[in-house]
Amino acid sequence: MGFQDTPEEWQVTETVTPFTGNKTSVRTDGVVMPDGSVHNRDYQVHPGSVAVLALDEEGRVLVLRQYRHPVRQKLWEIPAGLLDVPGENPLHAAQRELYEEAHVKAEDWRVLTDVYTTPGGSDEAVRVFLARDLSEAEGERFEVSEEEADMEHARVPLDELVRSVLAGDLHNNCLVVGVLSLTAAFAGDGVDSLRPADAPWPARPFEA
């Protein structure tokens, strides 16, 4: 089977939630350590996210440039968004995000990779999809607001994004993981070996 992460849960003596926001919250758990001592661990409770690496017929990746206030930068990213409904099918959420952020639809969907973005400080889990066979979505464009109102769009060759990642010029987690994972897939068993779009996701179980 090779290396794999395994479920485990250490005893929690107490849990408090000092902050609750619109989509996420902060939780403090008193966790029993292997030596029997108890130490507090603060972390963000997150509903989970999906991201889409959309690859067109010319080998270009659809990317977006958006302001991210916590890091005070405009970052190039791939379309992504929250799992707004508990138990929501992540494929449906990814299709929605691709439509809303880029007005694009895709016929071929596969799971590219699953990651925990910052497991030392958040329980956020992200499923990154590979979407191919792209075309313009039907109907009117989704009306964007707030940071998304200033969003820029581009299609960039995959190898150019890889070079920019390795040069330290691109920093968005989902973009970095997505382009490097796709490059590894091309160099390995090919994208046809990737998991199907409805593959199980233990971090965020869902109904098909």
Side-chain angles (χ1 to χ4, degrees):
M1 293 292 293
F3 292 101
Q4 61 182 19
D5 299 329
T6 56
E8 184 166 343
E9 187 167 351
W10 292 2
Q11 180 183 353
V12 174
T13 61
E14 182 184 22
T15 296
V16 295
T17 305
F19 171 79
T20 299
N22 185 33
K23 295 291 185 180
T24 67
S25 61
V26 173
R27 181 177 296 167
T28 300
D29 289 344
V31 184
V32 180
M33 300 292 136
D35 64 0
S37 62
V38 178
H39 294 273
N40 287 342
R41 293 293 178 261
D42 305 320
Y43 59 100
Q44 180 192 37
V45 179
H46 195 285
S49 307
V50 292
V52 185
L53 194 153
L55 187 71
D56 69 16
E57 67 282 355
E58 298 179 32
R60 301 175 302 173
V61 177
L62 192 159
V63 291
L64 317 166
R65 189 167 181 246
Q66 184 172 345
Y67 176 67
R68 293 301 187 183
H69 186 71
V71 296
R72 307 305 200 269
Q73 291 192 22
K74 272 193 170 183
L75 300 181
W76 284 106
E77 308 178 350
I78 57 177
L82 298 176
L83 292 169
D84 293 323
V85 181
E88 181 179 17
N89 187 311
L91 174 60
H92 299 165
Q95 291 170 332
R96 179 186 68 237
E97 293 301 329
L98 186 60
Y99 162 72
E100 291 182 357
E101 295 193 348
H103 200 67
V104 167
K105 63 180 181 179
E107 297 301 323
D108 184 82
W109 290 83
R110 297 175 188 272
V111 174
L112 188 53
T113 190
D114 298 324
V115 295
Y116 292 114
T117 55
T118 50
S122 174
D123 69 351
E124 181 184 12
V126 179
R127 169 157 282 189
V128 183
F129 289 91
L130 171 64
R132 296 183 297 170
D133 193 6
L134 309 181
S135 61
E136 190 82 0
E138 300 171 356
E140 296 183 1
R141 285 186 173 272
F142 181 79
E143 185 175 347
V144 296
S145 61
E146 301 175 9
E147 290 91 345
E148 293 183 354
D150 191 41
M151 186 181 292
E152 303 171 48
H153 297 75
R155 294 195 182 198
V156 182
L158 177 64
D159 57 357
E160 182 176 337
L161 291 175
V162 171
R163 286 194 296 270
S164 296
V165 167
L166 298 180
D169 295 329
L170 297 174
H171 308 91
N172 175 263
N173 182 286
C174 293
L175 183 148
V176 171
V177 169
V179 300
L180 296 183
S181 295
L182 182 57
T183 300
F186 280 135
D189 296 329
V191 296
D192 289 338
S193 68
L194 295 173
R195 288 171 291 162
D198 60 353
W201 189 16
R204 293 294 185 273
F206 62 93
E207 295 184 5

